PDB file of all heavy atoms in Angstrom:
ATOM      1  N   LYS Y 287     157.970 123.884 -48.042  1.00 96.00           N
ATOM      2  CA  LYS Y 287     156.668 124.161 -47.682  1.00 96.00           C
ATOM      3  C   LYS Y 287     156.690 124.973 -46.367  1.00 96.00           C
ATOM      4  O   LYS Y 287     157.234 124.460 -45.406  1.00 96.00           O
ATOM      5  CB  LYS Y 287     155.739 122.941 -47.525  1.00 96.00           C
ATOM      6  CG  LYS Y 287     154.299 123.258 -47.270  1.00 96.00           C
ATOM      7  CD  LYS Y 287     153.412 122.028 -47.247  1.00 96.00           C
ATOM      8  CE  LYS Y 287     153.531 121.261 -45.975  1.00 96.00           C
ATOM      9  NZ  LYS Y 287     152.521 120.185 -45.785  1.00 96.00           N
ATOM     10  N   ILE Y 288     156.125 126.168 -46.379  1.00 96.00           N
ATOM     11  CA  ILE Y 288     156.191 126.955 -45.157  1.00 96.00           C
ATOM     12  C   ILE Y 288     154.975 126.648 -44.253  1.00 96.00           C
ATOM     13  O   ILE Y 288     155.018 126.505 -43.083  1.00 96.00           O
ATOM     14  CB  ILE Y 288     156.113 128.492 -45.476  1.00 96.00           C
ATOM     15  CG1 ILE Y 288     157.351 128.796 -46.378  1.00 96.00           C
ATOM     16  CG2 ILE Y 288     156.053 129.327 -44.215  1.00 96.00           C
ATOM     17  CD1 ILE Y 288     158.636 128.706 -45.755  1.00 96.00           C
ATOM     18  N   LYS Y 289     153.774 126.567 -44.905  1.00 94.00           N
ATOM     19  CA  LYS Y 289     152.536 126.291 -44.126  1.00 94.00           C
ATOM     20  C   LYS Y 289     151.494 125.793 -45.051  1.00 94.00           C
ATOM     21  O   LYS Y 289     151.543 126.024 -46.219  1.00 94.00           O
ATOM     22  CB  LYS Y 289     152.126 127.473 -43.367  1.00 94.00           C
ATOM     23  CG  LYS Y 289     151.658 128.616 -44.262  1.00 94.00           C
ATOM     24  CD  LYS Y 289     151.407 129.893 -43.414  1.00 94.00           C
ATOM     25  CE  LYS Y 289     150.282 129.766 -42.394  1.00 94.00           C
ATOM     26  NZ  LYS Y 289     149.961 131.015 -41.763  1.00 94.00           N
ATOM     27  N   ALA Y 290     150.464 125.092 -44.515  1.00 94.00           N
ATOM     28  CA  ALA Y 290     149.258 124.747 -45.262  1.00 94.00           C
ATOM     29  C   ALA Y 290     148.138 125.250 -44.306  1.00 94.00           C
ATOM     30  O   ALA Y 290     147.828 124.663 -43.227  1.00 94.00           O
ATOM     31  CB  ALA Y 290     149.154 123.218 -45.468  1.00 94.00           C
ATOM     32  N   GLU Y 291     147.417 126.303 -44.800  1.00 95.00           N
ATOM     33  CA  GLU Y 291     146.314 126.949 -44.021  1.00 95.00           C
ATOM     34  C   GLU Y 291     144.998 126.251 -44.401  1.00 95.00           C
ATOM     35  O   GLU Y 291     144.568 126.386 -45.546  1.00 95.00           O
ATOM     36  CB  GLU Y 291     146.249 128.408 -44.361  1.00 95.00           C
ATOM     37  CG  GLU Y 291     145.189 129.142 -43.554  1.00 95.00           C
ATOM     38  CD  GLU Y 291     145.701 129.614 -42.175  1.00 95.00           C
ATOM     39  OE1 GLU Y 291     146.901 129.548 -41.973  1.00 95.00           O
ATOM     40  OE2 GLU Y 291     144.844 130.004 -41.451  1.00 95.00           O
ATOM     41  N   CYS Y 292     144.470 125.415 -43.505  1.00 95.00           N
ATOM     42  CA  CYS Y 292     143.225 124.692 -43.730  1.00 95.00           C
ATOM     43  C   CYS Y 292     142.064 125.352 -43.138  1.00 95.00           C
ATOM     44  O   CYS Y 292     142.155 125.788 -41.972  1.00 95.00           O
ATOM     45  CB  CYS Y 292     143.333 123.252 -43.233  1.00 95.00           C
ATOM     46  SG  CYS Y 292     144.668 122.275 -43.965  1.00 95.00           S
ATOM     47  N   PHE Y 293     140.943 125.487 -43.861  1.00 95.00           N
ATOM     48  CA  PHE Y 293     139.741 126.113 -43.356  1.00 95.00           C
ATOM     49  C   PHE Y 293     138.606 125.665 -44.147  1.00 95.00           C
ATOM     50  O   PHE Y 293     138.694 124.834 -45.046  1.00 95.00           O
ATOM     51  CB  PHE Y 293     139.866 127.625 -43.416  1.00 95.00           C
ATOM     52  CG  PHE Y 293     140.116 128.119 -44.837  1.00 95.00           C
ATOM     53  CD1 PHE Y 293     139.027 128.671 -45.548  1.00 95.00           C
ATOM     54  CD2 PHE Y 293     141.357 128.165 -45.467  1.00 95.00           C
ATOM     55  CE1 PHE Y 293     139.224 129.174 -46.917  1.00 95.00           C
ATOM     56  CE2 PHE Y 293     141.570 128.603 -46.710  1.00 95.00           C
ATOM     57  CZ  PHE Y 293     140.523 129.106 -47.409  1.00 95.00           C
ATOM     58  N   LYS Y 294     137.381 126.100 -43.819  1.00 95.00           N
ATOM     59  CA  LYS Y 294     136.165 125.789 -44.480  1.00 95.00           C
ATOM     60  C   LYS Y 294     135.557 127.128 -45.066  1.00 95.00           C
ATOM     61  O   LYS Y 294     135.504 128.102 -44.384  1.00 95.00           O
ATOM     62  CB  LYS Y 294     135.235 125.016 -43.652  1.00 95.00           C
ATOM     63  CG  LYS Y 294     135.678 123.613 -43.220  1.00 95.00           C
ATOM     64  CD  LYS Y 294     134.645 122.904 -42.406  1.00 95.00           C
ATOM     65  CE  LYS Y 294     135.113 121.504 -41.919  1.00 95.00           C
ATOM     66  NZ  LYS Y 294     135.410 120.666 -43.011  1.00 95.00           N
ATOM     67  N   LEU Y 295     135.021 126.969 -46.236  1.00 95.00           N
ATOM     68  CA  LEU Y 295     134.341 128.147 -46.867  1.00 95.00           C
ATOM     69  C   LEU Y 295     133.110 128.392 -46.004  1.00 95.00           C
ATOM     70  O   LEU Y 295     132.449 127.501 -45.471  1.00 95.00           O
ATOM     71  CB  LEU Y 295     133.847 127.793 -48.291  1.00 95.00           C
ATOM     72  CG  LEU Y 295     134.914 127.996 -49.420  1.00 95.00           C
ATOM     73  CD1 LEU Y 295     134.148 127.800 -50.763  1.00 95.00           C
ATOM     74  CD2 LEU Y 295     135.547 129.335 -49.374  1.00 95.00           C
ATOM     75  N   PRO Y 296     132.692 129.711 -45.869  1.00 94.00           N
ATOM     76  CA  PRO Y 296     131.446 129.992 -45.216  1.00 94.00           C
ATOM     77  C   PRO Y 296     130.261 129.348 -45.855  1.00 94.00           C
ATOM     78  O   PRO Y 296     130.310 128.959 -47.032  1.00 94.00           O
ATOM     79  CB  PRO Y 296     131.331 131.547 -45.327  1.00 94.00           C
ATOM     80  CG  PRO Y 296     132.699 131.971 -45.601  1.00 94.00           C
ATOM     81  CD  PRO Y 296     133.393 130.848 -46.377  1.00 94.00           C
ATOM     82  N   ILE Y 297     129.195 129.176 -45.146  1.00 93.00           N
ATOM     83  CA  ILE Y 297     127.920 128.644 -45.639  1.00 93.00           C
ATOM     84  C   ILE Y 297     127.922 127.191 -45.876  1.00 93.00           C
ATOM     85  O   ILE Y 297     127.453 126.335 -45.151  1.00 93.00           O
ATOM     86  CB  ILE Y 297     127.359 129.367 -46.839  1.00 93.00           C
ATOM     87  CG1 ILE Y 297     127.273 130.931 -46.551  1.00 93.00           C
ATOM     88  CG2 ILE Y 297     125.964 128.827 -47.295  1.00 93.00           C
ATOM     89  CD1 ILE Y 297     126.898 131.725 -47.788  1.00 93.00           C
ATOM     90  N   GLU Y 298     128.606 126.739 -47.004  1.00 89.00           N
ATOM     91  CA  GLU Y 298     128.537 125.293 -47.361  1.00 89.00           C
ATOM     92  C   GLU Y 298     129.605 124.465 -46.689  1.00 89.00           C
ATOM     93  O   GLU Y 298     129.510 123.256 -46.677  1.00 89.00           O
ATOM     94  CB  GLU Y 298     128.741 125.193 -48.905  1.00 89.00           C
ATOM     95  CG  GLU Y 298     130.102 125.708 -49.475  1.00 89.00           C
ATOM     96  CD  GLU Y 298     130.373 125.146 -50.805  1.00 89.00           C
ATOM     97  OE1 GLU Y 298     129.396 124.900 -51.534  1.00 89.00           O
ATOM     98  OE2 GLU Y 298     131.594 125.008 -51.136  1.00 89.00           O
ATOM     99  N   LYS Y 299     130.598 125.119 -46.086  1.00 91.00           N
ATOM    100  CA  LYS Y 299     131.603 124.444 -45.273  1.00 91.00           C
ATOM    101  C   LYS Y 299     132.530 123.418 -46.005  1.00 91.00           C
ATOM    102  O   LYS Y 299     132.931 122.423 -45.425  1.00 91.00           O
ATOM    103  CB  LYS Y 299     130.984 123.716 -44.036  1.00 91.00           C
ATOM    104  CG  LYS Y 299     130.127 124.666 -43.192  1.00 91.00           C
ATOM    105  CD  LYS Y 299     130.935 125.785 -42.651  1.00 91.00           C
ATOM    106  CE  LYS Y 299     130.044 126.725 -41.757  1.00 91.00           C
ATOM    107  NZ  LYS Y 299     130.760 127.877 -41.243  1.00 91.00           N
TER     108      LYS Y 299
END
Side-chain angles (χ1 to χ4, degrees):
K287 185 173 80 171
I288 303 297
K289 66 188 299 187
E291 183 84 14
C292 300
F293 60 98
K294 294 184 182 295
L295 278 185
I297 304 173
E298 64 162 27
K299 305 301 181 184

